[in-house]
Amino acid sequence: MKNQLSIRGVSRVFTSPKGQKTQALTPVDFDVRENDFVTILGPSGCGKSTLLRIVAGLDHPTAGTVLLDGQKVEGPGADRGMVFQSYTLFPWLSIEQNIRFGLRERGMPEAQQKERADYFIAKVGLRGFEHHFPKQLSGGMQQRTAIARALANDPKILLLDEPFGALDNQTRVLMQELLLGIWESAQKTVLFVTHDIDEAIFMANRVAVFSARPGRIKTEIAVNFPHPRHYTIKTSPEFMAIKAQLTEEIRAESMAADVH
């Protein structure tokens, strides 16, 4: 498989109003292959979300470049779908209207918008809730809508920043399985940021571990469990071995962050 996303020498320095500089990312080099599912794991404040925002075009690197299919990323675009931890739906639009929003902005014919929205409403299990408003839905259902909206635009890559972090554990597990099921059928490239080690392993084909700030990719660990996956793999010896390795990596980085 070809590399779809290439991150080359990307660093980010933030400057406060008083001129104080904070280095969030030290030069990061990283590739994501087409149709791959990669999770990024690391201690709090290590720059994971900053890197994701740079890939999304919502922030700009201080140095370095991001290439998507060989094209330099210089701002937001329909070729990248972003899902945040907070429920970033338009509260005045219905679920169907939220999902159709990007399609409407692109000038897609209305009949085609509706057909595409209907497909993803069914895909994420929201049939019957099309005309509800976000405030009428649970957190999990709102995130289903956000994922459907991102996928409806048919992006080349799906970027998720702790999308299930605010959900209760039972809903989180259901959402993990839902997203994996969609990925297995749609074969989208996915870059997924999380604090949760179990989630990072369960979702990914590859886990990238970030160092403490300034963030860099410290190590990468392949996850070779077959698909489709079921949450019961979390009790397997193979899963527990990867978890122990990642726990030690994160522990070492968290201790390094405390020292600094």
Side-chain angles (χ1 to χ4, degrees):
M1 287 187 291
K2 68 172 184 175
N3 287 330
Q4 187 161 42
L5 176 70
S6 295
I7 297 168
R8 292 288 174 267
V10 166
S11 64
R12 182 68 169 98
V13 177
F14 292 100
T15 304
S16 73
K18 294 184 177 180
Q20 183 178 359
K21 295 187 181 298
T22 301
Q23 184 155 16
L25 296 172
T26 197
V28 174
D29 292 283
F30 190 57
D31 293 309
V32 179
R33 295 183 299 275
E34 188 174 30
N35 301 336
D36 207 357
F37 198 126
V38 177
T39 51
I40 298 179
L41 187 66
S44 294
C46 70
K48 305 183 298 295
S49 293
T50 297
L51 181 63
L52 204 70
R53 288 177 62 83
I54 289 171
V55 174
L58 300 173
D59 192 10
H60 297 283
T62 304
T65 57
V66 176
L67 301 174
L68 184 62
D69 281 338
Q71 300 297 309
K72 187 175 180 181
V73 169
E74 298 185 296
D79 54 0
R80 281 148 290 144
M82 185 84 178
V83 180
F84 300 89
Q85 179 175 349
S86 57
Y87 311 132
T88 53
L89 303 176
F90 298 115
W92 59 90
L93 297 181
S94 69
I95 297 314
E96 181 187 319
Q97 290 168 335
N98 264 284
I99 293 169
R100 288 170 58 172
F101 181 81
L103 307 177
R104 191 188 73 193
E105 292 297 297
R106 284 162 46 193
M108 180 180 286
E110 189 164 342
Q112 200 175 338
Q113 288 178 38
K114 181 164 179 52
E115 181 183 351
R116 193 155 181 79
D118 285 348
Y119 173 81
F120 282 104
I121 284 167
K123 199 79 173 166
V124 300
L126 287 174
R127 180 76 73 213
F129 293 92
E130 299 93 327
H131 305 301
H132 285 60
F133 290 92
K135 68 179 182 181
Q136 297 173 300
L137 302 185
S138 67
M141 293 173 85
Q142 289 188 54
Q143 281 301 61
R144 289 175 189 231
T145 305
I147 291 168
R149 182 176 63 183
L151 287 168
N153 284 311
D154 195 24
K156 293 180 179 177
I157 185 168
L158 191 60
L159 308 169
L160 301 107
D161 190 3
E162 299 198 60
F164 310 144
L167 304 177
D168 65 84
N169 191 57
Q170 183 178 356
T171 305
R172 186 173 189 146
V173 169
L174 291 172
M175 290 297 293
Q176 289 168 357
E177 291 187 325
L178 171 75
L179 180 59
L180 267 186
I182 292 171
W183 174 81
E184 286 159 0
S185 61
Q187 288 294 290
K188 286 286 176 194
T189 307
V190 177
L191 192 58
F192 185 113
V193 164
T194 180
H195 276 105
D196 188 287
I197 294 175
D198 280 30
E199 181 170 78
I201 302 167
F202 181 68
M203 303 296 288
N205 295 326
R206 183 164 49 116
V207 181
V209 180
F210 250 58
S211 68
R213 195 179 72 232
R216 60 180 174 81
I217 305 255
K218 178 186 177 186
T219 190
E220 296 178 40
I221 296 174
V223 181
N224 296 316
F225 297 111
H227 292 275
R229 290 181 184 172
H230 188 262
Y231 72 91
T232 51
I233 67 167
K234 295 180 182 181
T235 59
S236 70
E238 296 84 1
F239 191 100
M240 298 304 289
I242 297 172
K243 182 176 179 178
Q245 183 181 356
L246 286 171
T247 300
E248 186 53 39
E249 294 277 5
I250 299 299
R251 180 175 173 275
E253 290 307 314
S254 296
M255 290 177 68
D258 290 341
V259 168
H260 292 110

